[in-house]
Amino acid sequence: ILLWCPQPPPPGALLQVAALERQIFDFLGYQWAPILANFLHIMAVILGIFGTIQYRSKYLMMYAVWLVLWVGWNAFIICFYLEVGRLSQDRDFIMTFNTSLHRSWWMENGPGCLVTPVLNARLAPEDHHVITVSGCLLDYQYIEVLSSATQIFLALFGFVYACYVSKVFLEEEDSFDFIGGFDSYGYQAPQKTSHLQLQPLYT
């Protein structure tokens, strides 16, 4: 018996491409906290795709729970780059786990940005250099905010998809006890009739 359920095309490919793009630029900028979060997100997307292909509603539920956390993480990134509340990019180096002074890769490589090194700067820590960035068409903070906002939009779409498909799978599981089973048809084992019962034989 083949099971068929109406479901939209899986958005896994789009989510994977977006996550890989985010991972590449975070690697280039040495942003270790986002790198770890992106890795977990990629694994969760793979889990969601597997759950869709294999009709596993539990995997899709786990994927949906992760997407809630993913939305929260990206909302924090938006607040960090916009310096909401007490967050400060000049003081807090959360994205690098306080191991380096690296910023977003887009800070020096944004569209139209002109980077000028400042020679003999006294404020430069050891093994670091001071630069000035000017002429950017869009500051790196807003590029990071747009990236996180895109991730939130895709996550909300994936959450709705995961909930819908897992609901369809659960309904199908309730309709069939198991493939080829007899429980749904009220099957009962045949009863022995009186004329078929064995009688003792004397010789």
Side-chain angles (χ1 to χ4, degrees):
I1 299 175
L2 296 177
L3 296 180
W4 178 86
C5 61
Q7 62 186 49
L14 180 61
L15 293 173
Q16 279 286 48
V17 169
L20 289 174
E21 176 269 335
R22 180 80 168 269
Q23 186 75 308
I24 290 172
F25 290 113
D26 285 335
F27 259 117
L28 294 174
Y30 304 100
Q31 305 294 290
W32 305 119
I35 287 172
L36 177 60
N38 294 335
F39 176 77
L40 295 176
H41 182 60
I42 292 172
M43 294 297 101
V45 172
I46 294 175
L47 184 67
I49 295 174
F50 179 79
T52 302
I53 295 175
Q54 297 295 323
Y55 298 90
R56 304 292 181 86
S57 58
K58 292 182 179 180
Y59 290 167
L60 287 171
M61 291 178 182
M62 293 173 60
Y63 174 58
V65 171
W66 165 256
L67 287 179
V68 174
L69 300 176
W70 182 245
V71 168
W73 167 250
N74 281 278
F76 169 77
I77 292 179
I78 292 175
C79 294
F80 175 78
Y81 281 106
L82 295 180
E83 297 187 339
V84 176
R86 297 184 178 180
L87 295 173
S88 172
Q89 298 181 57
D90 296 328
R91 185 183 67 251
D92 303 323
F93 296 94
I94 302 172
M95 299 302 169
T96 60
F97 291 132
N98 291 321
T99 58
S100 70
L101 301 178
H102 287 97
R103 302 291 182 87
S104 169
W105 181 81
W106 295 106
M107 180 179 182
E108 302 179 32
N109 300 277
C113 290
L114 177 62
V115 179
T116 304
V118 178
L119 302 177
N120 301 323
R122 297 180 179 180
L123 297 178
E126 188 177 354
D127 298 330
H128 286 74
H129 63 279
V130 176
I131 61 173
T132 59
V133 182
S134 60
C136 295
L137 299 178
L138 188 64
D139 290 339
Y140 74 95
Q141 298 98 322
Y142 302 113
I143 296 178
E144 293 288 354
V145 167
L146 287 175
S147 177
S148 294
T150 302
Q151 292 291 332
I152 290 176
F153 173 78
L154 292 175
L156 294 176
F157 175 69
F159 179 81
V160 173
Y161 166 83
C163 292
Y164 170 76
V165 176
S166 61
K167 179 178 179 294
V168 172
F169 289 169
L170 288 175
E171 290 176 352
E172 291 293 335
E173 290 174 1
D174 291 340
S175 300
F176 296 89
D177 293 320
F178 60 91
I179 297 176
F182 296 102
D183 291 346
S184 299
Y185 302 96
Y187 175 80
Q188 294 182 355
Q191 299 290 332
K192 288 185 178 181
T193 58
S194 58
H195 68 276
L196 292 179
Q197 294 179 356
L198 297 178
Q199 302 293 334
L201 178 64
Y202 299 94
T203 57

